[in-house]
Amino acid sequence: KAGVTQTPRYLIKTRGQQVTLSCSPISGHRSVSWYQQTPGQGLQFLFEYFSETQRNKGNFPGRFSGRQFSNSRSEMNVSTLELGDSALYLCACAGNEAFFGQGTRLTVV
Amino acid sequence: GQNIDQPTEMTATEGAIVQINCTYQTSGFNGLFWYQQHAGEAPTFLSYNVLDGLEEKGRFSSFLSRSKGYSYLLLKELQMKDSASYLCAVRDRADSWGKLQFGAGTQVVVTP
């Protein structure tokens, strides 16, 4: 569904660098979740934010972090990038329909 | 542990019906979702079941049996554009509104 906007759409980074991805949820939605999708591991939950507070966290190393702003926009950050972090990163607005944004495809070289 | 299982691949002919099964074992249950994902794209929401029974939405229907930990997605009158991966996902807690656990996905191939 239109309304969940992720930027940038594509990103190429070098090992050791850090990256910040952005997600703007559907207007009025206060819950934002982040997922990582790779061919080997499928779709895996990273974290969920609600009203600027992290409500849940998946099983990922501390290099993965996020935050949410008062306007519900969210960012996730990955520090010290590794080749294995290459993935499609998806943001979703939670609810009975849980809509996804178009994702950010991150390639680490 | 927590498990969501679905078949890896299914092939069907254009115009036919395909049923994709999903079984789950999770610590709790607060809803089951089905998504369609075309290659290189984000998942698109198809259906949400929280109570037992069948939900119908056009050519797509989804069924849930909570006692059996089982759901299926039924695709009728298959079209070539239905070739995609179909993902089953479970929300296991009411206070984890945005945390879904996904199955590995079922690749549906529609042939002419």
Side-chain angles (χ1 to χ4, degrees):
Chain A
K1 181 175 180 177
V4 182
T5 304
Q6 291 188 245
T7 56
R9 292 289 312 280
Y10 302 92
L11 208 49
I12 300 175
K13 289 286 190 177
T14 305
R15 268 183 305 175
Q17 287 186 312
Q18 75 161 19
V19 67
T20 300
L21 312 181
S22 179
C23 171
S24 293
I26 296 170
S27 177
H29 281 240
R30 292 189 293 165
S31 175
V32 171
S33 299
W34 288 89
Y35 292 83
Q36 181 197 64
Q37 186 174 34
T38 59
Q41 298 297 318
L43 256 166
Q44 292 188 292
F45 172 77
L46 279 158
F47 24 67
E48 176 191 8
Y49 286 87
F50 182 83
S51 293
E52 302 177 62
T53 302
Q54 187 181 88
R55 192 154 67 170
N56 284 291
K57 191 177 194 306
N59 190 25
F60 279 82
R63 300 185 297 107
F64 291 80
S65 63
R67 60 179 176 167
Q68 187 179 32
F69 302 94
S70 58
N71 62 357
S72 294
R73 189 177 71 86
S74 177
E75 289 181 347
M76 67 162 282
N77 185 77
V78 188
S79 62
T80 321
L81 282 165
E82 300 177 358
L83 295 179
D85 297 333
S86 294
L88 179 65
Y89 290 89
L90 292 157
C91 164
C93 277
N96 286 352
E97 298 189 345
F99 294 105
F100 282 88
Q102 291 180 294
T104 294
R105 185 163 296 282
L106 172 65
T107 302
V108 182
V109 296
Chain B
Q2 313 219 76
N3 237 15
I4 299 173
D5 292 315
Q6 47 182 132
T8 304
E9 185 171 312
M10 302 182 76
T11 301
T13 308
E14 198 174 9
I17 298 173
V18 70
Q19 177 175 314
I20 307 169
N21 296 324
C22 171
T23 57
Y24 62 90
Q25 288 179 300
T26 54
S27 56
F29 181 82
N30 193 253
L32 187 140
F33 298 75
W34 283 98
Y35 288 87
Q36 179 192 64
Q37 187 176 27
H38 287 101
E41 299 181 9
T44 303
F45 170 81
L46 290 177
S47 69
Y48 168 70
N49 296 68
V50 68
L51 299 175
D52 291 351
L54 187 68
E55 294 277 344
E56 296 186 84
K57 196 183 288 186
R59 295 189 299 114
F60 297 80
S61 303
S62 57
F63 171 83
L64 175 68
S65 168
R66 289 171 295 170
S67 62
K68 294 182 180 176
Y70 167 71
S71 173
Y72 68 72
L73 179 71
L74 198 67
L75 286 62
K76 300 176 222 173
E77 299 168 21
L78 277 172
Q79 302 175 11
M80 297 300 291
K81 67 179 181 180
D82 297 330
S83 291
S85 180
Y86 291 83
L87 301 161
C88 170
V90 171
R91 181 166 60 211
D92 62 4
R93 285 165 49 182
D95 63 349
S96 299
W97 204 240
K99 181 183 177 185
L100 302 182
Q101 296 176 61
F102 281 83
T106 299
Q107 186 67 41
V108 171
V109 178
V110 182
T111 59

